[in-house]
Amino acid sequence: MTKQLLMATVAASVVLAAAPAVAETDWDSLLGDHSGKSINMMVVNDPYIEAIRKMESKFEGLTGAEVTTDGFGYDPLHEKEILGCSQQDDQYDVLFIDGIWVGEFVEADCLEPVEDLWGDTDPAIIAWDDFVGSIAGQAQWGGKTYCLPVGAYWQVMHYRKDLFDKAGLKVPETFEETMEAAKFFTNNPDYPGMSGYAMNNRRGAAAGQQYFEWIYSAGGKPWESNYPGSEEPYADQTPLLNSEKSVELVKFFHDMVAYGPPGGEQYQWDDRFNAFAQGKVAMINAWSVRTPGLSDPAKSNIVGKWASAQMPHAKGEKTVPPVGGWIMCLNKHSKNKEAAWDFMRWFASPEIHKEWAMIGGVPSRHSAFQDPEIQEKLPWTKELYTAAKTAWTEGRPRHPLTFEMIDAIGLQVNRAIIGEATPQEAMDTAQEEVTEMLKSEGILK
């Protein structure tokens, strides 16, 4: 990744871009006639998938194309997409990939770079500077823009405002305050059945991603050159997984289990969200794609009882919010590239992006976050926007070993959480394994 690209990414992540007005586009004139063509998409089976499906008929009416959205779990999606790429499979035209997979998919020659396609498109439709910088950077690799960052997730802390108000507790800002608040609610007869905090502790990808969600706010860094604002985060990838701050963080995860729900050491994404939505825990941090469900009476027992705040940080440090989510990419082996590209630029445009966000999609653009209708319908996005603007694009590794590296770290983090190893022992092992992994691929010498 070039120094110029990283400098641009960092600048974009902390500076508020001017949000263009969302104007109506003459799509009938812009889009082609794709009657008889099929556009097949692979998407993670996260809550926003239904909002995508609701948008299909509108594009079909404009172009005559038939759009199909197939959903898969996180690990199966990665496996199916990368396998299809290796086989030059053209079954799916549009691939939604996790932003941290971009290096792997580029190196495997899976993707048609969108910057080679948008030359004849009105810049106001692409509106690249309108994408929040911390997610826009995840659609780029090696100085080139490969995908459109339409499905951004960030994390904030959700807490039971009603319970905090009743107890007279301030919203925690530090790790220590978070643990004290979690301890207060756990096994407290005034709050029967309540636990303090549900975390993403399950062995493998869940615990591995949790490590990266918290390490920067702990004042640590996962490898030597990766820290918020680094101009060359991949320059020196010597792991620092067993550093003092890293081990202290894993000890914090271990100690927090005592104030979590029963079985919480095996919780992952949906588990922690559901525990909070069902009124069983006082606090969680969660990806923003799930947040609308907290205001849905069909999914939540705490409608109107919760609020959001920035994630906590270690004493003397500052919060560095996690960024993740999904970038929309064109399969290089597709036989329907023209129709697929029309769908992509239509779906990602500021105008259609707002419509999607209003029916259950995830805001990824400045214009969406600043839109009065979205703010009124989704008031929690105001807090999320603060997180979005201060997140670090390179918060999780994005090179070809990302999947294996996060899984290996998550194995060791979970071992410490459940007491199979001390935090120091677990992270010493993670350090050894990841170092060997990087050396085997020539990333480290």
Side-chain angles (χ1 to χ4, degrees), residues 99-348:
I100 62 174
W101 303 345
V102 66
E104 178 184 14
F105 278 68
V106 170
E107 295 298 324
D109 201 26
C110 300
L111 310 177
E112 191 78 30
V114 296
E115 72 172 48
D116 293 345
L117 303 172
W118 67 31
D120 61 350
T121 301
D122 182 347
I125 291 174
I126 302 299
W128 183 260
D129 289 343
D130 185 39
F131 288 113
V132 178
S134 57
I135 188 63
Q138 297 214 344
Q140 300 171 319
W141 189 254
K144 196 157 190 142
T145 302
Y146 282 87
C147 307
L148 298 175
V150 297
Y153 302 172
W154 292 276
Q155 288 196 27
V156 292
M157 183 180 73
H158 302 312
Y159 66 97
R160 285 290 299 276
K161 186 176 187 304
D162 59 331
L163 302 187
F164 273 80
D165 288 349
K166 177 182 175 181
L169 294 178
K170 68 182 285 287
V171 179
E173 297 180 7
T174 68
F175 292 175
E176 293 83 357
E177 290 170 353
T178 301
M179 187 175 291
E180 284 300 311
K183 182 178 180 180
F184 174 83
F185 287 112
T186 302
N187 297 324
N188 187 328
D190 293 334
Y191 305 92
M194 182 67 59
S195 297
Y197 205 114
M199 305 185 82
N200 219 35
N201 290 328
R202 183 176 294 185
R203 182 167 295 196
Q209 290 200 26
Q210 174 169 274
Y211 173 82
F212 284 98
E213 291 165 10
W214 292 75
I215 184 61
Y216 305 97
S217 296
K221 52 185 180 179
W223 62 85
E224 188 61 48
S225 59
N226 189 4
Y227 51 87
S230 172
E231 295 182 0
E232 293 283 358
Y234 294 94
D236 182 356
Q237 295 183 54
T238 302
L240 298 174
L241 302 174
N242 60 349
S243 68
E244 181 179 356
K245 290 186 181 295
S246 181
V247 173
E248 287 176 353
L249 174 63
V250 176
K251 184 178 185 302
F252 171 74
F253 294 158
H254 169 272
D255 293 347
M256 285 290 286
V257 170
Y259 313 119
E265 62 271 23
Q266 299 302 334
Y267 270 30
Q268 59 179 346
W269 300 275
D270 287 342
D271 301 313
R272 65 180 176 183
F273 173 82
N274 291 336
F276 187 69
Q278 292 165 12
K280 296 179 179 179
V281 296
M283 296 171 283
I284 59 166
N285 57 288
W287 291 116
S288 50
V289 66
R290 287 170 168 78
T291 305
L294 296 176
S295 298
D296 181 353
K299 300 177 181 178
S300 174
N301 296 331
I302 59 169
V303 175
K305 299 178 180 179
W306 60 280
S308 301
Q310 296 303 300
M311 282 182 60
H313 54 78
K315 187 176 181 180
E317 305 295 342
K318 64 179 182 178
T319 296
V320 181
V323 57
W326 299 87
I327 55 179
M328 182 170 60
C329 312
L330 181 59
N331 181 4
K332 189 170 186 176
H333 309 297
S334 167
K335 289 185 170 58
N336 292 315
K337 289 182 181 178
E338 184 178 349
W341 170 239
D342 264 1
F343 178 86
M344 290 172 63
R345 61 179 178 163
W346 170 82
F347 184 79

Side-chain angles (χ1 to χ4, degrees), residues 338-393:
E338 184 178 349
W341 170 239
D342 264 1
F343 178 86
M344 290 172 63
R345 61 179 178 163
W346 170 82
F347 184 79
S349 68
E351 175 187 347
I352 304 304
H353 185 73
K354 175 187 173 180
E355 289 187 33
W356 183 52
M358 289 289 287
I359 63 170
V362 288
S364 306
R365 289 182 171 276
H366 291 290
S367 58
F369 276 112
Q370 296 171 9
D371 188 272
E373 289 183 283
I374 290 178
Q375 290 179 352
E376 181 178 0
K377 184 173 183 178
L378 307 170
W380 51 270
T381 59
K382 295 179 181 179
E383 191 72 39
L384 185 67
Y385 193 28
T386 297
K389 290 181 289 183
T390 54
W392 170 229
T393 294

